[in-house]
Amino acid sequence: MILRKASLFLLLSQIVSNSSEFKGSMTKRQNLMSYTNILTEVKEHGFWITINRADKLNALNILTLQEIKAAVNEAGSNPAIQVIFLTGSGQKAFAAGADIAEFAEFNIEEGTKMSADGHAVMDSIENSPKPVIALVNGFALGGGCELAMACHLRIASDNARFGQPEINLALIPGYAGTQRLCQLIGKGRALELLLSGEAIKAEEALKIGLVNQVVTIDQLHQAGEIMAAKITSKSPLAVAKVLACVNDHYASERNGFLTEINAFGACFGTSDLKEGTQAFLQKRTPVFTGH
Ligand code: COA
């Protein structure tokens, strides 16, 4: 099974590298912004963001969250990038939550601002026109679970643990955990996690739809690349439209049905749709350029 997936990855990578638009970008040197608490790297069409506070189990202090937001925006505006990976350093934690030491003495105003700013970070991930894949390499607790949920897809290593333990601190999730958990796993199970504060194992997270896939920790990055290859072989214009339409299903101020009608129509103004349909009719593999 793994071998079959690996060969699919190679095949799809080949298809992507056949695109003249993307050929140059693979060899181009990338001038990446520098950050303090995260590491960034460009590999092929993927932008890798690694939370780099392993000694604090990658706890999300304010600087780290702002850097993640900046990096997602950086990846979003880089035309060579088609997919974004988000993971944690080490083998113990994706992120063990917001940094408790940082917010312990906050007052009401500071707490409200912390939550509003955190929401903006999560929204920037969810609204990214490029798919963001969380590679959850251990604890994803509190803000870490919320961060994973803001991503479009989640692959977990089998040692991962998910939970919203804020209730143990007489707190509640502040980065939209009460909302996205309901969206992903339904109200009943969401309330169980939110009210008990208990963490669940990766396999349980898979069973209830909180993650898309579970692999061993050694396979985590490769599994992400295989999943990404399935997406990067498609037109990035169509990919961005799917993300926007699905997001609008959950946006009360917008009508996802209408978004879909307009996005569907807009596809007919792209060269990629012409290429996709012609390639089908000519029984060949399409070469998308993102135009
Ligand atoms: N905020 C700040 N620091 C954190 C943290 C967090 N959310 N989670 C872990 N850390 C720090 C610990 O304080 C410790 O730092 P120290 O070595 O300077 O004392 C270090 O990370 C290692 O954590 P530790 O608790 O010793 O590891 P453990 O293996 O015994 O336990 C956890 C792991 C995840 C069970 C435990 O760290 C934990 O419960 N973290 C908090 C989870 C949480 O409540 N998140 C929601 C916050 S709103």
Side-chain angles (χ1 to χ4, degrees):
M1 183 67 178
I2 291 163
L3 270 176
R4 272 180 49 206
K5 280 188 172 170
S7 47
L8 175 69
F9 172 57
L10 283 175
L11 176 71
L12 292 172
S13 306
Q14 252 178 344
I15 293 166
V16 173
S17 67
N18 281 342
S19 154
S20 55
E21 164 82 1
F22 299 125
K23 248 182 191 164
S25 66
M26 292 177 71
T27 48
K28 221 181 269 173
R29 246 188 106 74
Q30 301 284 336
N31 287 322
L32 301 185
M33 286 169 62
S34 67
Y35 299 99
T36 306
N37 289 345
I38 62 170
L39 303 171
T40 58
E41 190 185 357
V42 170
K43 277 194 255 169
E44 304 271 314
H45 307 294
F47 191 98
W48 288 75
I49 302 172
T50 305
I51 306 163
N52 194 28
R53 300 186 75 210
D55 58 329
K56 296 289 176 194
L57 302 188
N58 299 319
L60 300 167
N61 61 3
I62 289 166
L63 176 63
T64 306
L65 281 175
Q66 290 310 318
E67 289 190 341
I68 290 170
K69 185 177 169 190
V72 168
N73 289 339
E74 181 188 352
S77 58
N78 182 340
I81 297 302
Q82 285 183 276
V83 65
I84 301 166
F85 298 100
L86 181 54
T87 192
S89 59
Q91 300 207 335
K92 189 168 173 183
F94 173 71
D99 192 320
I100 298 171
E102 189 176 58
F103 70 69
E105 301 297 330
F106 275 7
N107 60 28
I108 292 176
E109 253 177 31
E110 291 166 324
T112 307
K113 180 174 177 353
M114 174 186 164
S115 181
D117 290 349
H119 273 244
V121 175
M122 304 303 150
D123 290 349
S124 74
I125 295 170
E126 190 170 74
N127 293 323
S128 163
K130 301 175 183 181
V132 185
I133 302 177
L135 301 176
V136 183
N137 56 307
F139 289 114
L141 301 176
C145 187
E146 291 168 299
L147 183 63
M149 289 194 292
C151 296
H152 302 112
L153 297 161
R154 283 157 291 283
I155 305 177
S157 56
D158 51 15
N159 65 323
R161 297 286 181 275
F162 295 82
Q164 298 289 161
E166 291 89 346
I167 197 97
N168 297 327
L169 307 174
L171 190 61
I172 68 166
Y175 299 158
T178 59
Q179 304 304 297
R180 289 200 178 92
L181 207 50
C182 293
Q183 292 173 356
L184 283 167
I185 66 173
K187 185 177 172 183
R189 286 189 189 273
L191 279 170
E192 191 178 341
L193 285 185
L194 293 163
L195 295 176
S196 71
E198 283 175 4
I200 56 168
K201 294 181 176 177
E203 281 304 331
E204 176 70 9
L206 180 66
K207 216 162 70 184
I208 63 177
L210 187 53
V211 299
N212 299 84
Q213 196 183 344
V214 176
V215 296
T216 65
I217 188 110
D218 297 336
Q219 293 172 330
L220 189 59
H221 285 202
Q222 195 196 13
E225 283 167 344
I226 290 169
M227 187 177 276
K230 293 180 193 176
I231 303 168
T232 57
S233 66
K234 313 291 190 270
S235 164
L237 299 174
V239 167
K241 286 180 172 62
V242 167
L243 296 176
C245 290
V246 171
N247 281 343
D248 278 6
H249 174 73
Y250 300 100
S252 56
E253 72 281 11
R254 288 192 296 274
N255 180 332
F257 290 91
L258 199 55
T259 305
E260 184 186 280
I261 290 169
N262 291 326
F264 182 85
C267 290
F268 288 83
T270 69
S271 302
D272 275 355
L273 175 65
K274 290 184 179 53
E275 168 62 10
T277 49
Q278 284 308 305
F280 176 81
L281 295 171
Q282 294 163 8
K283 302 191 187 308
R284 61 175 174 82
T285 305
V287 180
F288 296 119
T289 61
H291 292 104

